[in-house]
Amino acid sequence: MDISQSMLEIAVERETDGDLLLADIGEGVPFRAGTFDGVISISVLQWLCNADKANHNPFKRLKRFFTLLYSSMRSGGRAVFQVYPESPKQMELITEQATRCGFTGGVVVDYPNSTKAKKVFLCLFAGTPVNNLVMPQGLGSENENTVQYSNERFTGKKRKRRGEVSRKEWIQNKKQKMRSLGKDVTADSKYTGRKRKPKF
């Protein structure tokens, strides 16, 4: 389900499994009651917080989406939304509208201390969770974010591993490949592959 015709055309080209639907989720989801056990969404919800047109009201669009989504899910169904909120206020608005429509659950953050790897997930349950499901834990706990300390001394010299070729051998192999391709390559000399001294 996507609002963009071009994105759906790309999905058709890639032979995506399942049905495709062109729709604006701010107008609600057009499915029968109790259709889904689970729902997954990536980078969509935050766009409902924008007022792209004069008649777009973020509160009403979020409420309509969550109301119709709740009715189209079976009791105990789960929904996971990966969100990129602009601010904590925006995330609060999304979560508040979801809970007002009957969902339970909350926000899970992976790698909260990282700027690049941080991911925010809104995990929701429709009605009462089956078998008392527990909220998932976010990745990037304190133990995973700590630096590994080693008492070994680093000398600055790299050890040569088995199977590695020397600098000179690597250069000669590279020159041989270029010659086999018909390229003009300088002839080997006694200086081929030697490191130059700091003063030239």
Side-chain angles (χ1 to χ4, degrees):
M1 187 170 174
D2 204 308
I3 195 170
S4 168
Q5 178 72 41
S6 58
M7 291 303 288
L8 292 174
E9 287 169 3
I10 290 169
V12 169
E13 286 172 13
R14 294 185 181 178
E15 298 176 0
T16 307
D17 292 338
D19 298 325
L20 302 174
L21 177 66
L22 179 66
D24 178 8
I25 63 167
E27 303 297 321
V29 287
F31 298 105
R32 283 187 319 210
T35 304
F36 301 111
D37 289 325
V39 175
I40 297 173
S41 169
I42 299 171
S43 185
V44 173
L45 278 186
Q46 70 270 12
W47 301 110
L48 291 180
C49 297
N50 297 343
D52 297 330
K53 296 179 182 175
N55 62 346
H56 282 184
N57 182 336
F59 294 98
K60 289 180 180 177
R61 287 170 61 79
L62 282 165
K63 184 180 179 185
R64 181 151 180 83
F65 168 69
F66 282 121
T67 303
L68 292 177
L69 179 68
Y70 186 84
S71 66
S72 67
M73 291 179 70
R74 292 182 184 165
S75 181
R78 290 176 273 185
V80 179
F81 302 91
Q82 184 183 353
V83 191
Y84 294 98
E86 287 180 1
S87 64
K89 251 186 172 179
Q90 194 179 71
M91 194 66 224
E92 191 178 322
L93 169 67
I94 294 169
T95 310
E96 184 183 336
Q97 291 301 321
T99 51
R100 280 185 180 179
C101 295
F103 283 103
T104 57
V107 178
V108 176
V109 182
D110 283 353
Y111 305 106
N113 299 325
S114 172
T115 51
K116 290 186 179 179
K118 183 178 180 179
K119 293 206 180 342
V120 180
F121 298 93
L122 179 62
C123 301
L124 301 174
F125 303 105
T128 35
V130 180
N131 300 330
N132 297 325
L133 286 172
V134 184
M135 283 286 291
Q137 295 296 315
L139 298 176
S141 63
E142 290 178 12
N143 295 334
E144 291 175 8
N145 288 339
T146 54
V147 176
Q148 297 296 321
Y149 172 73
S150 174
N151 206 14
E152 293 176 16
R153 187 171 179 175
F154 177 66
T155 59
K157 292 182 182 176
K158 249 178 132 179
R159 285 190 206 161
K160 191 175 171 185
R161 296 184 195 144
R162 272 191 222 163
E164 280 189 8
V165 293
S166 69
R167 179 183 171 89
K168 186 172 183 175
E169 290 170 347
W170 185 85
I171 291 171
Q172 287 174 337
N173 290 340
K174 185 76 172 176
K175 282 185 170 185
Q176 189 60 37
K177 284 181 188 174
M178 297 307 274
R179 283 188 194 109
S180 66
L181 294 172
K183 306 274 184 182
D184 290 332
V185 181
T186 56
D188 292 338
S189 70
K190 66 178 186 177
Y191 300 107
T192 302
R194 282 192 186 175
K195 284 191 176 178
R196 292 182 178 173
K197 292 180 181 177
K199 291 184 179 179
F200 189 58

